[in-house]
C-alpha cells in the first residue's frame, strides 16, 4: 500500500483479465480501481451495519483529482461510522421508484376501486379520469423520470411554477379538444393530484416519504360569474324566442331547471324519473359529488320536471335523442342561447352560481344555501329530516323569483319576499 497521488495513479497499469486495485495507505478504505479498459475510478470500501463488505464509486479519475476524491471519501467513510450505507443509497437511486411508476400504480389502484378517498369511499371514476389527464399532460412530461426518493419540496414547487408558466401548454391540434393550457389553476390542480397520489403511496408503504408534504398550492384566481336579474330576464326572453324557432326542447328545459334549482349539470342531465318526488318537492340522488343526497326543489322547478317527464317513455327526465341514455348536449344549447343573448362566459356552473346569488340576495343564510346546493356535509336533509320544510320554503322562494324573471317579470322587493316567506312558513306549520 502507498499513499495515492497523481503520480501513483497515473503509473497504475490495467490488467486485461480483471480489475486492478490500489489502496491508499493513509485513509483506510480509499482506493482506485482500474478496469481492463483502462478506466480509473476512485472508490471506497467499508463494512455496513450488517458487517457486510460494500464498495461505492466516488468518481472517475480525470474528472476528480486525487485530493478531491480523498476529501469525498473521507466524508463518506465518516458517514458510515454514523450508520450510513453509501452503496445502498446509490443503488436505491438507480433502482428506486420513479414518479411515473408511482403514478401508474395510483391509476391502476384507483380505477380498480381499491383506493379510498377523503369521503371514505372508493375514488370516483370521474375524479380518476381528471387525475389521469393531469398526470399524462403535466406531471409525467416534466418529472416522470425522476426518482421519488431524490425529489425535494423545492422540486415540487418548481414543478408548479413550470406548469403555471405554460411549460406543458400545447396549442389546439383539432377543431375540438386537444388543447393543454397552463396557468395557476391548472398548476394548482396538478400539484394537488400529485400530492394526493404520493400520500396514498406513502400510506400504503409504496414509498417511505412524500416529497410533496408541506407544499403550498397556488391560489387560483376564480371569478364567480353569475347572472344578474336583468341578464336572467333577457335570457328567458331569448329562450322563449329560440323555443319557437325549434331549439332543442330538452336542452332549454335543462337550462331552466339548472337555474331554478342550482343543481349541477350532471345531476340534472342524469336525473331519473324514479328519483323525483313532486309531492314532497324532493329529488333523491343515489350518488352526487358529495355522495348520496336528498335535495329539495321549488314548485317552479318541479313543474318543469313533471312536464319534461311526461314528454317521453325514457327512465330519464332528459332522454337522449338516440339510444337509451340521457341528454348530453346542454352545453351546446346554452352556448347558442347565450350567443344570441350576447352573454359572455356563461357555463352550466354559472347557472348554479346564479341560483346561489339569488338566494343570498333574498337573505337566506350560508347554511341554508349550502343545503340547497348540496354543499353541507352529507347534505343537511340527510341528517335532519325536520329541516326539509325550511329548505323547501327557501328553494320555492328562490325558484319563484328566478321563474318570474325568466318569464319577463320584475324582481319583487325585499319586503314582498319576506312577507311571502312568512306566509309560506305559516302554511307549512298549519
Amino acid at each position: 500500500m502507498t499513499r495515492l497521488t497523481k503520480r501513483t495513479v497515473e503509473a497504475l497499469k490495467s490488467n486485461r483479465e480483471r480489475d486492478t486495485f490500489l489502496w491508499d495507505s493513509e485513509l483506510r478504505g480509499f482506493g482506485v480501481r482500474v478496469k481492463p479498459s483502462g478506466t480509473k475510478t476512485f472508490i471506497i470500501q467499508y463494512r455496513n451495519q450488517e458487517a457486510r463488505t460494500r464498495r461505492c464509486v466516488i468518481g472517475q479519475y480525470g474528472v476528480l483529482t486525487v485530493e478531491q476524491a480523498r476529501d469525498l471519501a473521507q466524508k463518506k467513510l465518516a458517514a458510515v461510522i454514523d450508520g450510513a450505507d453509501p452503496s445502498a443509497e446509490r443503488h436505491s437511486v438507480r433502482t428506486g421508484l420513479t414518479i411515473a411508476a408511482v403514478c401508474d400504480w395510483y391509476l391502476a389502484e384507483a380505477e380498480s376501486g381499491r383506493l379510498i378517498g377523503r369521503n371514505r369511499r372508493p375514488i370516483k371514476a370521474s375524479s380518476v379520469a381528471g387525475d389521469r389527464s393531469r398526470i399524462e399532460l403535466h406531471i409525467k412530461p416534466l418529472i416522470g423520470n425522476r426518482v421519488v426518493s431524490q425529489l425535494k419540496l423545492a422540486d415540487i414547487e418548481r414543478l408548479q411554477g413550470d406548469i403555471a408558466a405554460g411549460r406543458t401548454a400545447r396549442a389546439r391540434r383539432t377543431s375540438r379538444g386537444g388543447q393543454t393550457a397552463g396557468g395557476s389553476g391548472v398548476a394548482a390542480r396538478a400539484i394537488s393530484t400529485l400530492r394526493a397520489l404520493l400520500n396514498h403511496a406513502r400510506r400504503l408503504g409504496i414509498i417511505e416519504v412524500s416529497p410533496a408534504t408541506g407544499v403550498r398550492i397556488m391560489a387560483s384566481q376564480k371569478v364567480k360569474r353569475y347572472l344578474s336579474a336583468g341578464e336572467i330576464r333577457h335570457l328567458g326572453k331569448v329562450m322563449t324566442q329560440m323555443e319557437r324557432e325549434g331549439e332543442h326542447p330538452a336542452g332549454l328545459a335543462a337550462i331552466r331547471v339548472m337555474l331554478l334549482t342550482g343543481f349541477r349539470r350532471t345531476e340534472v342531465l342524469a336525473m331519473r324519473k324514479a328519483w323525483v318526488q313532486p309531492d314532497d318537492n324532493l329529488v333523491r340522488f343515489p350518488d352526487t359529488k358529495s355522495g348520496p343526497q336528498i335535495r329539495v326543489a321549488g314548485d317552479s322547478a318541479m313543474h318543469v320536471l313533471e312536464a319534461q317527464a311526461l314528454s317521453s317513455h325514457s327512465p330519464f327526465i332528459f332522454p337522449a335523442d338516440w339510444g337509451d341514455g340521457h341528454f348530453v348536449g346542454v352545453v351546446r344549447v346554452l352556448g347558442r342561447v347565450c350567443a344570441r343573448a350576447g352573454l359572455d362566459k356563461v357555463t352550466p356552473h354559472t347557472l348554479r352560481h346564479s341560483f346561489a346569488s339569488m338566494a343570498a340576495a333574498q337573505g337566506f343564510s350560508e347554511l341554508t344555501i349550502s343545503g340547497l346546493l348540496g354543499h353541507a356535509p352529507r347534505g343537511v336533509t340527510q341528517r335532519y329530516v325536520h329541516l326539509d320544510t325550511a329548505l323547501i320554503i327557501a328553494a320555492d322562494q328562490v325558484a319563484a323569483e328566478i321563474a318570474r324573471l325568466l318569464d319577463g317579470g320584475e324582481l319583487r322587493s325585499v319586503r314582498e319576499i319576506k312577507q311571502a316567506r312568512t306566509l309560506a312558513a305559516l302554511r307549512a306549520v298549519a
Side-chain angles (χ1 to χ4, degrees):
M1 295 176 64
T2 182
R3 186 179 190 276
L4 293 183
T5 63
K6 180 179 179 182
R7 179 179 297 177
T8 57
V9 172
E10 289 185 346
L12 192 59
K13 303 298 182 182
S14 62
N15 186 315
R16 293 183 179 180
E17 303 297 328
R18 54 185 173 81
D19 292 350
T20 302
F21 296 87
L22 180 62
W23 299 101
D24 187 71
S25 59
E26 292 186 1
L27 180 59
R28 185 176 180 181
F30 171 51
V32 62
R33 178 180 63 192
V34 185
K35 288 284 190 180
S37 62
T39 302
K40 299 176 182 178
T41 52
F42 295 107
I43 61 172
I44 58 172
Q45 182 170 292
Y46 60 93
R47 288 183 181 273
N48 62 13
Q49 289 186 318
E50 298 175 350
R52 294 184 178 182
T53 300
R54 291 286 185 262
R55 286 176 184 165
C56 180
V57 174
I58 297 176
Q60 188 173 327
Y61 175 65
V63 177
L64 295 176
T65 65
V66 176
E67 294 308 315
Q68 288 173 334
R70 187 187 302 277
D71 290 340
L72 290 173
Q74 191 169 15
K75 292 176 182 178
K76 288 184 178 293
L77 290 170
V80 169
I81 298 174
D82 292 331
D85 192 342
S87 178
E89 292 170 4
R90 188 181 183 90
H91 180 73
S92 67
V93 170
R94 289 180 176 175
T95 62
L97 282 174
T98 63
I99 288 290
V102 176
C103 287
D104 291 341
W105 167 85
Y106 164 76
L107 291 173
E109 293 295 300
E111 288 174 345
S112 67
R114 290 191 291 268
L115 285 183
I116 305 302
R118 289 179 297 179
N119 60 359
R120 302 289 194 273
R121 295 186 181 90
I123 301 172
K124 290 180 175 291
S126 58
S127 298
V128 180
D131 291 343
R132 176 179 288 279
S133 176
R134 288 183 280 274
I135 287 169
E136 298 297 340
L137 295 176
H138 304 291
I139 297 172
K140 278 188 176 181
L142 293 181
I143 63 167
N145 62 346
R146 297 286 301 275
V147 175
V148 176
S149 61
Q150 297 304 300
L151 281 174
K152 307 297 182 185
L153 179 62
D155 297 317
I156 305 299
E157 297 201 343
R158 190 178 303 113
L159 168 67
Q160 183 172 221
D162 288 342
I163 297 173
R167 187 174 170 188
T168 51
R170 294 198 302 270
R172 190 182 297 277
R173 297 189 299 272
T174 60
S175 59
R176 293 182 60 189
Q179 186 175 19
T180 303
S184 59
V186 174
R189 288 189 291 274
I191 298 304
S192 294
T193 293
L194 179 61
R195 180 176 61 182
L197 70 88
L198 288 173
N199 283 339
H200 281 297
R202 178 191 55 78
R203 180 172 56 85
L204 296 176
I206 304 301
I207 60 176
E208 292 185 4
V209 178
S210 168
T213 299
V215 65
R216 292 186 175 182
I217 304 295
M218 283 184 175
S220 57
Q221 300 182 1
K222 293 183 179 179
V223 179
K224 286 192 175 181
R225 169 82 162 100
Y226 59 87
L227 299 176
S228 65
E231 288 176 323
I232 293 175
R233 188 184 301 109
H234 182 52
L235 184 70
K237 180 180 178 181
V238 172
M239 287 171 63
T240 300
Q241 292 174 348
M242 295 183 70
E243 185 176 16
R244 293 171 183 163
E245 296 170 4
E247 181 56 80
H248 202 295
L252 293 174
I255 292 171
R256 183 176 286 268
V257 170
M258 282 188 281
L259 259 176
L260 295 175
T261 61
F263 291 176
R264 298 178 181 91
R265 173 177 59 89
T266 52
E267 292 170 349
V268 171
L269 297 183
M271 191 184 302
R272 291 177 177 264
K273 296 175 183 177
W275 302 348
V276 182
Q277 297 179 222
D279 294 340
D280 299 322
N281 288 79
L282 298 177
V283 180
R284 295 181 177 272
F285 289 103
D287 191 25
T288 68
K289 187 176 181 180
S290 304
Q293 285 187 341
I294 301 173
R295 302 274 284 284
V296 298
D299 288 341
S300 300
M302 281 297 173
H303 292 158
V304 179
L305 290 175
E306 285 184 286
Q308 185 63 29
L310 294 173
S311 66
S312 74
H313 297 291
S314 169
F316 294 102
I317 297 288
F318 300 95
D321 294 329
W322 298 278
D324 300 326
H326 60 76
F327 182 67
V328 295
V330 70
V331 174
R332 293 191 294 274
V333 176
L334 180 61
R336 291 193 292 266
V337 171
C338 291
R340 172 79 71 88
L343 298 174
D344 296 329
K345 298 180 180 179
V346 177
T347 67
H349 213 63
T350 304
L351 308 181
R352 182 170 164 84
H353 287 161
S354 301
F355 177 88
S357 175
M358 185 64 68
Q362 292 186 30
F364 290 107
S365 68
E366 287 188 17
L367 179 62
T368 299
I369 297 172
S370 293
L372 294 173
L373 297 177
H375 282 168
R378 298 176 59 184
V380 172
T381 53
Q382 284 293 104
R383 297 179 61 186
Y384 304 104
V385 178
H386 63 277
L387 292 180
D388 283 355
T389 301
L391 282 179
I392 290 171
I393 292 173
D396 194 47
Q397 293 292 314
V398 177
E401 292 305 306
I402 294 175
R404 187 191 308 276
L405 292 172
L406 286 172
D407 294 337
E410 295 295 328
L411 196 66
R412 290 185 295 179
S413 66
V414 175
R415 182 178 180 182
E416 290 175 320
I417 292 173
K418 288 184 177 179
Q419 289 176 345
R421 191 183 306 169
T422 301
L423 181 59
L426 290 172
R427 287 174 178 171
V429 172

